[in-house]
Short mmCIF file of all heavy atoms in Angstrom, two decimals:
data_model
loop_
_atom_site.label_atom_id
_atom_site.label_comp_id
_atom_site.label_asym_id
_atom_site.label_seq_id
_atom_site.Cartn_x
_atom_site.Cartn_y
_atom_site.Cartn_z
N LEU A 12 79.45 76.45 110.03
CA LEU A 12 79.82 75.59 111.21
C LEU A 12 80.80 76.32 112.12
O LEU A 12 80.85 76.14 113.32
CB LEU A 12 80.39 74.26 110.75
CG LEU A 12 79.39 73.29 110.17
CD1 LEU A 12 80.12 72.03 109.62
CD2 LEU A 12 78.45 72.79 111.34
N GLN A 13 81.75 77.08 111.54
CA GLN A 13 82.75 77.80 112.32
C GLN A 13 82.00 78.86 113.24
O GLN A 13 82.47 79.13 114.33
CB GLN A 13 83.75 78.45 111.45
CG GLN A 13 83.32 79.58 110.60
CD GLN A 13 82.68 79.14 109.27
OE1 GLN A 13 82.44 77.96 109.09
NE2 GLN A 13 82.58 80.09 108.35
N ASP A 14 80.93 79.43 112.74
CA ASP A 14 80.19 80.42 113.56
C ASP A 14 79.59 79.70 114.73
O ASP A 14 79.61 80.15 115.88
CB ASP A 14 79.10 81.10 112.75
CG ASP A 14 79.69 81.87 111.56
OD1 ASP A 14 80.69 82.47 111.73
OD2 ASP A 14 79.05 81.75 110.47
N LEU A 15 78.98 78.55 114.47
CA LEU A 15 78.32 77.72 115.52
C LEU A 15 79.42 77.36 116.52
O LEU A 15 79.24 77.43 117.74
CB LEU A 15 77.71 76.44 114.92
CG LEU A 15 77.22 75.41 115.93
CD1 LEU A 15 76.22 75.96 116.87
CD2 LEU A 15 76.66 74.21 115.18
N GLU A 16 80.55 76.85 116.10
CA GLU A 16 81.63 76.39 117.01
C GLU A 16 82.13 77.53 117.87
O GLU A 16 82.31 77.34 119.07
CB GLU A 16 82.81 75.90 116.18
CG GLU A 16 82.49 74.51 115.53
CD GLU A 16 83.55 74.02 114.56
OE1 GLU A 16 84.48 74.79 114.34
OE2 GLU A 16 83.49 72.89 114.06
N TYR A 17 82.26 78.68 117.25
CA TYR A 17 82.77 79.81 118.09
C TYR A 17 81.77 80.26 119.14
O TYR A 17 82.09 80.44 120.29
CB TYR A 17 83.07 81.00 117.22
CG TYR A 17 83.46 82.20 118.11
CD1 TYR A 17 84.71 82.30 118.71
CD2 TYR A 17 82.57 83.25 118.42
CE1 TYR A 17 85.00 83.22 119.61
CE2 TYR A 17 82.87 84.24 119.26
CZ TYR A 17 84.19 84.24 119.88
OH TYR A 17 84.40 85.25 120.81
N ILE A 18 80.54 80.42 118.76
CA ILE A 18 79.52 80.81 119.73
C ILE A 18 79.28 79.80 120.82
O ILE A 18 79.21 80.17 122.00
CB ILE A 18 78.15 81.14 119.01
CG1 ILE A 18 78.26 82.26 118.02
CG2 ILE A 18 76.99 81.32 119.97
CD1 ILE A 18 77.12 82.48 117.11
N ARG A 19 79.39 78.47 120.43
CA ARG A 19 79.28 77.44 121.52
C ARG A 19 80.46 77.59 122.45
O ARG A 19 80.29 77.42 123.68
CB ARG A 19 79.33 76.10 120.82
CG ARG A 19 79.36 74.91 121.73
CD ARG A 19 78.09 74.71 122.59
NE ARG A 19 77.93 75.65 123.77
CZ ARG A 19 76.82 75.86 124.48
NH1 ARG A 19 75.87 75.02 124.31
NH2 ARG A 19 76.85 76.69 125.42
N SER A 20 81.65 77.93 121.94
CA SER A 20 82.77 77.98 122.83
C SER A 20 82.84 79.29 123.68
O SER A 20 83.46 79.30 124.77
CB SER A 20 84.05 77.99 122.01
OG SER A 20 84.25 79.11 121.24
N ALA A 21 82.07 80.33 123.21
CA ALA A 21 82.09 81.61 123.87
C ALA A 21 81.05 81.85 124.93
O ALA A 21 81.11 82.85 125.69
CB ALA A 21 82.00 82.71 122.80
N THR A 22 80.14 80.86 125.12
CA THR A 22 79.08 81.05 126.03
C THR A 22 78.71 79.68 126.79
O THR A 22 78.91 78.64 126.14
CB THR A 22 77.81 81.62 125.43
OG1 THR A 22 76.78 81.83 126.40
CG2 THR A 22 77.24 80.63 124.35
N LYS A 23 78.28 79.83 127.96
CA LYS A 23 77.73 78.71 128.71
C LYS A 23 76.20 78.63 128.58
O LYS A 23 75.65 77.68 129.11
CB LYS A 23 78.15 78.77 130.12
CG LYS A 23 79.66 78.66 130.33
CD LYS A 23 80.04 78.63 131.82
CE LYS A 23 81.56 78.43 131.98
NZ LYS A 23 82.05 78.51 133.38
N LYS A 24 75.63 79.64 127.96
CA LYS A 24 74.20 79.62 127.74
C LYS A 24 73.81 78.54 126.71
O LYS A 24 74.66 78.09 125.91
CB LYS A 24 73.79 81.01 127.17
CG LYS A 24 73.97 82.12 128.13
CD LYS A 24 72.83 82.27 129.09
CE LYS A 24 72.96 83.59 129.94
NZ LYS A 24 71.79 83.72 130.84
N PRO A 25 72.56 78.08 126.76
CA PRO A 25 72.17 77.10 125.73
C PRO A 25 72.25 77.67 124.31
O PRO A 25 72.06 78.83 124.03
CB PRO A 25 70.66 76.87 126.05
CG PRO A 25 70.53 77.19 127.52
CD PRO A 25 71.52 78.32 127.75
N VAL A 26 72.66 76.76 123.47
CA VAL A 26 72.71 77.06 122.00
C VAL A 26 71.81 76.11 121.22
O VAL A 26 71.83 74.93 121.40
CB VAL A 26 74.13 76.92 121.52
CG1 VAL A 26 74.23 77.01 119.97
CG2 VAL A 26 75.07 77.86 122.19
N GLU A 27 70.94 76.71 120.39
CA GLU A 27 69.99 75.93 119.59
C GLU A 27 70.27 76.05 118.09
O GLU A 27 70.59 77.20 117.65
CB GLU A 27 68.59 76.27 119.94
CG GLU A 27 68.26 77.75 119.77
CD GLU A 27 66.93 78.10 120.40
OE1 GLU A 27 66.63 77.77 121.58
OE2 GLU A 27 66.05 78.76 119.64
N VAL A 28 70.08 75.02 117.37
CA VAL A 28 70.34 74.98 115.95
C VAL A 28 69.04 74.81 115.20
O VAL A 28 68.25 73.89 115.47
CB VAL A 28 71.31 73.91 115.53
CG1 VAL A 28 71.42 73.81 114.04
CG2 VAL A 28 72.72 74.10 116.14
N HIS A 29 68.82 75.68 114.27
CA HIS A 29 67.56 75.60 113.38
C HIS A 29 68.04 75.20 111.98
O HIS A 29 68.58 75.98 111.25
CB HIS A 29 66.89 76.98 113.36
CG HIS A 29 65.76 77.06 112.53
ND1 HIS A 29 64.95 78.14 112.37
CD2 HIS A 29 64.97 76.07 111.83
CE1 HIS A 29 63.91 77.96 111.52
NE2 HIS A 29 63.94 76.72 111.18
N MET A 30 67.82 73.86 111.64
CA MET A 30 68.28 73.30 110.40
C MET A 30 67.27 73.57 109.31
O MET A 30 66.27 72.90 109.20
CB MET A 30 68.53 71.80 110.57
CG MET A 30 69.72 71.47 111.50
SD MET A 30 69.95 69.62 111.56
CE MET A 30 70.52 69.31 109.86
N MET A 31 67.54 74.57 108.49
CA MET A 31 66.69 74.77 107.25
C MET A 31 67.54 74.16 106.12
O MET A 31 68.03 74.83 105.14
CB MET A 31 66.57 76.32 107.06
CG MET A 31 65.61 76.94 108.05
SD MET A 31 65.50 78.73 107.96
CE MET A 31 66.55 79.19 109.27
N ILE A 32 67.51 72.79 106.10
CA ILE A 32 68.33 72.02 105.25
C ILE A 32 67.62 70.79 104.71
O ILE A 32 66.80 70.17 105.55
CB ILE A 32 69.60 71.53 106.08
CG1 ILE A 32 70.47 72.74 106.50
CG2 ILE A 32 70.45 70.53 105.29
CD1 ILE A 32 71.57 72.34 107.44
N LYS A 33 67.68 70.51 103.50
CA LYS A 33 67.13 69.33 102.86
C LYS A 33 67.80 68.09 103.42
O LYS A 33 69.07 68.09 103.63
CB LYS A 33 67.21 69.39 101.36
CG LYS A 33 66.33 70.43 100.71
CD LYS A 33 66.42 70.40 99.14
CE LYS A 33 65.81 69.08 98.63
NZ LYS A 33 65.75 69.10 97.17
N LYS A 34 67.07 67.08 103.67
CA LYS A 34 67.57 65.81 104.14
C LYS A 34 68.42 65.96 105.35
O LYS A 34 69.66 65.65 105.37
CB LYS A 34 68.37 65.01 103.10
CG LYS A 34 67.48 64.72 101.89
CD LYS A 34 68.36 63.98 100.83
CE LYS A 34 67.53 63.62 99.58
NZ LYS A 34 68.29 62.96 98.50
N PRO A 35 67.86 66.58 106.45
CA PRO A 35 68.65 66.90 107.59
C PRO A 35 69.41 65.78 108.26
O PRO A 35 70.46 65.90 108.82
CB PRO A 35 67.67 67.57 108.53
CG PRO A 35 66.29 67.11 108.09
CD PRO A 35 66.43 66.97 106.62
N ASP A 36 68.81 64.56 108.18
CA ASP A 36 69.48 63.40 108.76
C ASP A 36 70.82 63.13 108.20
O ASP A 36 71.77 62.62 108.84
CB ASP A 36 68.65 62.15 108.67
CG ASP A 36 68.97 61.11 109.67
OD1 ASP A 36 69.26 61.51 110.84
OD2 ASP A 36 69.04 59.91 109.28
N SER A 37 71.09 63.50 106.93
CA SER A 37 72.37 63.33 106.27
C SER A 37 73.43 64.19 106.81
O SER A 37 74.63 63.90 106.71
CB SER A 37 72.19 63.62 104.82
OG SER A 37 71.32 62.74 104.15
N TYR A 38 73.09 65.32 107.49
CA TYR A 38 74.04 66.21 108.00
C TYR A 38 73.97 66.37 109.55
O TYR A 38 74.68 67.16 110.15
CB TYR A 38 73.76 67.66 107.39
CG TYR A 38 73.80 67.61 105.95
CD1 TYR A 38 72.58 67.55 105.20
CD2 TYR A 38 74.99 67.75 105.22
CE1 TYR A 38 72.57 67.52 103.85
CE2 TYR A 38 74.98 67.77 103.85
CZ TYR A 38 73.79 67.61 103.14
OH TYR A 38 73.78 67.59 101.78
N LEU A 39 73.19 65.51 110.20
CA LEU A 39 72.90 65.69 111.52
C LEU A 39 74.09 65.59 112.44
O LEU A 39 74.31 66.33 113.39
CB LEU A 39 71.87 64.63 112.03
CG LEU A 39 71.14 64.97 113.32
CD1 LEU A 39 70.46 66.24 113.31
CD2 LEU A 39 70.16 63.76 113.65
N ARG A 40 74.97 64.74 112.08
CA ARG A 40 76.26 64.52 112.95
C ARG A 40 77.16 65.70 112.98
O ARG A 40 77.84 65.93 113.98
CB ARG A 40 77.12 63.29 112.47
CG ARG A 40 76.40 61.95 112.73
CD ARG A 40 77.22 60.77 112.31
NE ARG A 40 76.55 59.49 112.51
CZ ARG A 40 77.07 58.27 112.23
NH1 ARG A 40 78.32 58.31 111.66
NH2 ARG A 40 76.38 57.29 112.43
N LEU A 41 77.12 66.60 111.96
CA LEU A 41 77.79 67.87 111.93
C LEU A 41 77.36 68.68 113.16
O LEU A 41 78.16 69.50 113.70
CB LEU A 41 77.60 68.58 110.66
CG LEU A 41 78.17 68.00 109.43
CD1 LEU A 41 77.74 68.83 108.19
CD2 LEU A 41 79.72 67.84 109.51
N PHE A 42 76.09 68.55 113.56
CA PHE A 42 75.57 69.45 114.62
C PHE A 42 75.48 68.71 115.96
O PHE A 42 75.70 69.34 117.03
CB PHE A 42 74.17 69.95 114.16
CG PHE A 42 74.26 70.58 112.87
CD1 PHE A 42 73.71 70.07 111.70
CD2 PHE A 42 74.82 71.87 112.79
CE1 PHE A 42 73.80 70.67 110.51
CE2 PHE A 42 74.84 72.58 111.54
CZ PHE A 42 74.41 71.93 110.44
N THR A 43 75.22 67.47 115.97
CA THR A 43 75.15 66.72 117.21
C THR A 43 76.48 66.61 117.90
O THR A 43 76.59 66.42 119.15
CB THR A 43 74.54 65.33 117.07
OG1 THR A 43 75.33 64.55 116.12
CG2 THR A 43 73.11 65.35 116.59
N SER A 44 77.55 66.80 117.12
CA SER A 44 78.89 66.76 117.69
C SER A 44 79.39 68.06 118.21
O SER A 44 80.47 68.19 118.67
CB SER A 44 79.87 66.27 116.58
OG SER A 44 79.90 67.22 115.54
N LYS A 45 78.56 69.13 118.16
CA LYS A 45 78.98 70.45 118.51
C LYS A 45 78.50 70.83 119.98
O LYS A 45 78.63 72.01 120.28
CB LYS A 45 78.44 71.53 117.55
CG LYS A 45 78.92 71.27 116.13
CD LYS A 45 80.39 71.18 115.95
CE LYS A 45 80.77 70.99 114.48
NZ LYS A 45 82.19 70.67 114.26
N ASN A 46 77.96 69.89 120.69
CA ASN A 46 77.59 70.17 122.12
C ASN A 46 76.51 71.22 122.11
O ASN A 46 76.48 72.09 122.99
CB ASN A 46 78.80 70.65 122.90
CG ASN A 46 78.48 70.56 124.42
OD1 ASN A 46 77.72 69.81 124.90
ND2 ASN A 46 79.12 71.54 125.20
N VAL A 47 75.53 71.14 121.19
CA VAL A 47 74.39 72.09 121.23
C VAL A 47 73.25 71.49 122.07
O VAL A 47 73.33 70.31 122.44
CB VAL A 47 73.85 72.38 119.80
CG1 VAL A 47 75.00 73.01 118.98
CG2 VAL A 47 73.33 71.14 119.18
N ASP A 48 72.34 72.30 122.37
CA ASP A 48 71.31 71.89 123.39
C ASP A 48 70.00 71.48 122.77
O ASP A 48 69.31 70.62 123.27
CB ASP A 48 71.06 72.98 124.37
CG ASP A 48 72.32 73.37 125.19
OD1 ASP A 48 72.61 72.80 126.18
OD2 ASP A 48 73.10 74.28 124.72
N THR A 49 69.63 72.14 121.67
CA THR A 49 68.44 71.88 120.96
C THR A 49 68.66 71.89 119.48
O THR A 49 69.49 72.67 118.96
CB THR A 49 67.40 72.92 121.28
OG1 THR A 49 67.09 72.94 122.69
CG2 THR A 49 66.05 72.65 120.52
N ILE A 50 67.97 70.95 118.72
CA ILE A 50 68.10 70.98 117.24
C ILE A 50 66.61 70.93 116.74
O ILE A 50 65.84 70.04 117.05
CB ILE A 50 68.86 69.85 116.69
CG1 ILE A 50 70.36 69.90 117.08
CG2 ILE A 50 68.76 69.75 115.18
CD1 ILE A 50 71.21 68.85 116.60
N TYR A 51 66.33 71.88 115.91
CA TYR A 51 65.02 71.98 115.16
C TYR A 51 65.19 71.51 113.74
O TYR A 51 66.17 71.88 113.04
CB TYR A 51 64.44 73.35 115.13
CG TYR A 51 64.08 73.99 116.47
CD1 TYR A 51 64.93 74.94 117.01
CD2 TYR A 51 62.86 73.68 117.07
CE1 TYR A 51 64.55 75.54 118.18
CE2 TYR A 51 62.50 74.26 118.27
CZ TYR A 51 63.40 75.22 118.83
OH TYR A 51 63.03 75.83 119.99
N ILE A 52 64.33 70.68 113.26
CA ILE A 52 64.31 70.32 111.86
C ILE A 52 62.97 70.64 111.23
O ILE A 52 61.98 70.87 111.97
CB ILE A 52 64.58 68.80 111.61
CG1 ILE A 52 63.39 67.96 112.12
CG2 ILE A 52 65.93 68.32 112.22
CD1 ILE A 52 63.42 66.50 111.59
N HIS A 53 62.91 70.76 109.90
CA HIS A 53 61.63 71.00 109.23
C HIS A 53 61.12 69.64 108.70
O HIS A 53 61.87 69.04 107.92
CB HIS A 53 61.80 71.97 108.04
CG HIS A 53 61.90 73.35 108.52
ND1 HIS A 53 60.85 74.30 108.42
CD2 HIS A 53 62.95 74.13 108.95
CE1 HIS A 53 61.20 75.50 108.82
NE2 HIS A 53 62.51 75.42 109.22
N PRO A 54 59.99 69.23 109.13
CA PRO A 54 59.46 67.93 108.68
C PRO A 54 59.42 67.87 107.17
O PRO A 54 59.55 66.75 106.59
CB PRO A 54 58.10 67.80 109.28
CG PRO A 54 58.22 68.74 110.57
CD PRO A 54 59.11 69.78 110.15
#
């Protein structure tokens, strides 16, 4: 998360998150709160 936070703070370009995580909904707020532009999940 610290890597995501830094990259988000260091650029105005879009940042996208690719969640390769089981039960992504359980962790979603960790990423929706980081001002990212796109989130991919694995169905």
Side-chain angles (χ1 to χ4, degrees):
L12 285 173
Q13 68 275 15
D14 301 318
L15 170 60
E16 290 171 352
Y17 175 75
I18 293 170
R19 175 67 286 174
S20 69
T22 182
K23 294 183 179 179
K24 296 275 189 177
V26 173
E27 56 191 52
V28 173
H29 180 183
M30 294 182 67
M31 288 175 262
I32 296 174
K33 290 182 69 174
K34 300 180 182 179
D36 201 40
S37 300
Y38 304 96
L39 197 57
R40 290 184 182 179
L41 293 174
F42 304 106
T43 57
S44 63
K45 303 304 181 187
N46 194 31
V47 300
D48 300 274
T49 301
I50 294 179
Y51 295 102
I52 67 164
H53 282 261

